[in-house]
Amino acid sequence: MASSSAAPAFACRPRCAACCIAPSISSAIPGMPEGKPAGVRCIQLDDEDRCKLFGRPERPAVCLSLTPHEDMCGSSREQAMRWLGWMEDETRPR
């Protein structure tokens, strides 16, 4: 029997939603046909800061590619917002 060397999954922090606010999304989102600018709350967040499109086919590909990780999420929502904001700045076309 083979052993798994994969690291345990990093779970989303309840009521964080940093990944749904900090980064820009250039593709269409239901309710936001032009996507969303960085720092703007996604219209698909519910009152508990959960994605209403999670697991649905209309969820943008960029959202699917963002998986929680200790580097990105840090130890607080504020750290996640700062890191994602920094990444947004670093990857913005010049």
Side-chain angles (χ1 to χ4, degrees):
M1 182 170 179
S3 63
S4 173
S5 62
F10 192 84
C12 285
R13 184 177 296 107
R15 301 203 63 114
C16 177
C19 60
C20 302
I21 299 168
S24 61
I25 298 176
S26 58
S27 60
I29 302 165
M32 299 178 103
E34 303 298 317
K36 71 167 222 56
V40 172
R41 181 182 172 84
C42 180
I43 197 167
Q44 293 299 328
L45 283 172
D46 67 15
D47 292 339
E48 305 262 326
D49 290 330
R50 293 178 302 210
C51 177
K52 293 186 267 185
L53 299 178
F54 192 85
R56 301 188 61 165
E58 55 270 39
R59 188 171 178 217
V62 69
C63 299
L64 293 170
S65 72
L66 275 175
T67 56
H69 187 273
E70 189 174 7
D71 291 342
M72 178 175 79
C73 301
S75 61
S76 68
R77 180 180 191 263
E78 292 73 26
Q79 282 185 336
M81 290 289 287
R82 280 195 304 272
W83 191 90
L84 287 161
W86 175 79
M87 283 301 293
E88 180 72 25
D89 289 342
E90 290 295 307
T91 59
R92 181 177 294 122
R94 305 279 181 222

